[in-house]
């Protein structure tokens, strides 16, 4: 952020970050950096829509991660590969599309020439979240699955990376492992997995068993 | 190297325990050096196929394989009844699947 505010108008940078952050938590009026010259301390401060100002240490992990990624997205001098472990952690399910959109904005648009507005960047994330799997571009998905192989007559376990059918990955390499429809079921229909055959004991009734919520689980059948 | 990918259609989730046994059988009785099997998790589907024929057709669509295994609980029926039932379902499923591949 220091680099960004040196080469550009700080107020403009803070305003861009606040706009991005609004896409996540919807209530950001502004961002600034508080300078404590005496203690030589810089503190990022976020102002909510109600005017309450919060220091970075009071923000959630998810908000801080989103903020850091927003800074990265604005900085053309940060090229290369970005690897993230389950970026959806700590983020409300409704906000997952916002962080996925941000990650796609960080990565290079392969349809445009690489330049300062489209720096060479690649993003790799791993996830177990059905919400993420369902929302990313189909050609982005590689399913890591346990596989077996034989070398020198000895069987060993390995990981195979399988792509979905009918996208450029599958067409580019005829030997590419393909994800079966069945392997995707756990990601597309997670509610069915936790469905129990019967739920008789009131004390063990779960959210998914509540009669008034049944219509909100479209993928399960009685 | 002889390799086989197989799919198991069965009555319950715990039947997944049969997969290592199938792997062993393929290796020692059929000379398949490497086999990888999955259980067709048809209970995950919003509309579960009811007949065995439909279960076989759906399993092949969701989990393409070289070898398809079917396990049925006896439920007081004789092995002959189950054998005939499975063979009949296989024949019907084969016809459906060949019709589907022709239409594609």
């Amino acid at each position: 952020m220091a680099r960004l505010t040196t080469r550009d108008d700080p107020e403009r940078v803070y305003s861009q970050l606040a706009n991005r952050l609004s896409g996540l938590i919807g209530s950001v009026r502004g961002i600034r950096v508080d300078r404590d010259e005496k203690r030589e301390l810089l503190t990022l401060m976020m102002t909510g829509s109600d005017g309450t100002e919060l220091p970075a240490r009071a923000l959630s992990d998810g908000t801080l991660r989103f903020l850091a990624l927003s800074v990265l997205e604005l900085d053309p001098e940060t090229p290369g590969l970005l690897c993230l472990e389950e970026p959806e952690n700590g983020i409300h399910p409704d906000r997952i599309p916002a962080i996925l959109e941000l990650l796609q904005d960080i990565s290079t648009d392969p349809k445009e020439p690489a330049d300062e507005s489209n720096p060479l960047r690649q993003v790799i994330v791993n996830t177990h979240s059905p919400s993420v799997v369902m929302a990313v571009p189909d050609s982005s998905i590689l399913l890591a699955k346990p596989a077996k192989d034989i070398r020198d007559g000895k069987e060993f376990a390995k990981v195979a990376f399988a792509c979905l059918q009918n996208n450029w990955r599958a067409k580019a390499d005829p030997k590419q492992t393909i994800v079966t429809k069945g392997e995707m079921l756990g990601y597309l229909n997670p509610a069915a997995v936790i469905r129990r055959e019967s739920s008789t004991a009131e004390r063990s009734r779960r959210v998914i068993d509540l009669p008034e919520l049944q219509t909100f689980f479209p993928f399960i059948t009685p | 190297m002889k390799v086989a990918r197989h799919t198991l259609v069965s009555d319950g989730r715990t039947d997944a325990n049969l997969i290592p046994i199938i792997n062993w059988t393929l290796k020692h009785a059929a000379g398949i050096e490497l086999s990888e099997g999955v259980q067709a998790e048809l209970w995950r589907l919003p509309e579960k196929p009811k007949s065995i024929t439909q279960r076989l057709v759906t399993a092949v669509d969701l989990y393409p394989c070289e070898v398809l295994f079917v396990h049925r609980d006896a439920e007081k029926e004789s092995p002959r009844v189950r054998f005939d039932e499975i063979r009949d379902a296989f024949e019907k499923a084969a016809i459906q699947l060949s019709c589907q591949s022709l239409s594609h």
Side-chain angles (χ1 to χ4, degrees):
Chain A
M1 191 189 287
R3 185 160 63 207
L4 283 175
T5 52
T6 306
R7 54 180 281 171
D8 203 346
D9 173 21
E11 291 309 316
R12 189 164 165 270
V13 172
Y14 297 149
S15 166
Q16 285 174 312
L17 288 174
N19 281 341
R20 262 292 189 185
L21 211 51
S22 292
L24 181 71
I25 53 178
S27 56
V28 180
R29 187 184 290 176
I31 283 173
R32 69 179 183 91
V33 173
D34 179 69
R35 302 182 72 92
D36 185 338
E37 302 291 355
K38 199 171 176 183
R39 296 162 63 198
E40 296 182 329
L41 190 68
L42 299 175
T43 305
L44 183 129
M45 307 293 291
M46 189 193 87
T47 308
S49 56
D50 61 353
T52 309
E53 197 172 47
L54 295 167
R57 65 177 174 276
L59 303 176
S60 72
D61 284 354
T63 304
L64 287 175
R65 189 182 309 124
F66 198 91
L67 185 62
L69 291 171
S70 302
V71 173
L72 202 71
E73 196 262 325
L74 285 178
D75 183 12
E77 291 182 47
T78 308
L81 175 64
L82 175 67
C83 297
L84 291 168
E85 170 99 2
E86 301 184 338
E88 73 280 3
N89 279 352
I91 289 176
H92 189 285
D94 285 350
R95 308 296 185 195
I96 286 177
I99 199 155
L100 293 180
E101 190 184 329
L102 175 58
L103 289 171
Q104 285 175 68
D105 288 347
I106 288 172
S107 62
T108 307
D109 181 352
K111 291 175 184 156
E112 297 293 328
D115 55 21
E116 190 169 279
S117 65
N118 188 33
L120 276 175
R121 290 191 293 223
Q122 188 175 16
V123 178
I124 298 177
V125 306
N126 75 328
T127 185
H128 290 106
S129 164
S131 306
V132 172
V133 171
M134 282 191 256
V136 294
D138 70 316
S139 59
S140 303
I141 290 282
L142 282 175
L143 182 79
K145 57 178 192 176
K148 291 191 285 190
D149 207 342
I150 289 184
R151 191 161 295 167
D152 300 328
K154 200 173 178 184
E155 191 176 304
F156 63 93
K158 66 175 188 179
V159 175
F161 292 93
C163 70
L164 294 175
Q165 255 179 339
N166 300 326
N167 61 45
W168 65 265
R169 289 181 192 276
K171 288 171 187 161
D173 179 6
K175 289 182 179 173
Q176 170 70 51
T177 311
I178 304 295
V179 178
T180 65
K181 293 178 197 171
E183 287 170 327
M184 289 299 289
L185 282 179
Y187 291 100
L188 304 179
N189 191 3
V193 181
I194 56 172
R195 181 77 173 181
R196 254 192 322 225
E197 292 305 317
S198 62
S199 178
T200 48
E202 182 71 20
R203 62 179 172 81
S204 68
R205 193 168 70 168
R206 305 159 306 167
V207 173
I208 199 170
D209 298 323
L210 292 172
E212 64 271 30
L213 296 182
Q214 289 304 299
T215 53
F216 298 112
F217 298 114
F219 300 124
I220 56 176
T221 49
Chain B
M1 181 172 67
K2 287 169 104 177
V3 179
R5 193 170 45 153
H6 62 87
T7 297
L8 170 66
V9 178
S10 58
D11 294 331
R13 298 182 201 196
T14 53
D15 295 328
N17 293 325
L18 293 171
I19 287 175
I21 298 166
I22 293 172
N23 287 338
W24 187 93
T25 308
L26 285 172
K27 186 172 185 176
H28 292 89
I32 304 291
E33 290 175 75
L34 189 67
S35 58
E36 288 187 88
V38 290
Q39 184 181 25
E41 299 181 337
L42 304 180
W43 61 83
R44 292 176 185 266
L45 295 172
E47 285 181 34
K48 296 161 192 66
K50 291 189 172 64
S51 70
I52 304 179
T53 304
Q54 233 17 70
R55 285 164 65 192
L56 298 186
V57 170
T58 309
V60 171
D61 178 40
L62 298 184
Y63 306 90
C65 58
E66 283 89 41
V67 192
L68 185 64
F69 288 91
V70 180
H71 166 75
R72 294 276 285 132
D73 292 335
E75 289 168 357
K76 297 179 185 171
E77 295 288 356
S78 68
R80 170 66 11 201
V81 169
R82 287 289 180 238
F83 179 80
D84 290 345
E85 188 182 75
I86 292 169
R87 190 181 56 190
D88 182 52
F90 257 104
E91 284 169 2
K92 287 178 182 162
I95 293 168
Q96 274 197 41
L97 288 165
S98 60
C99 289
Q100 280 175 14
S101 65
L102 283 175
S103 66
H104 290 160

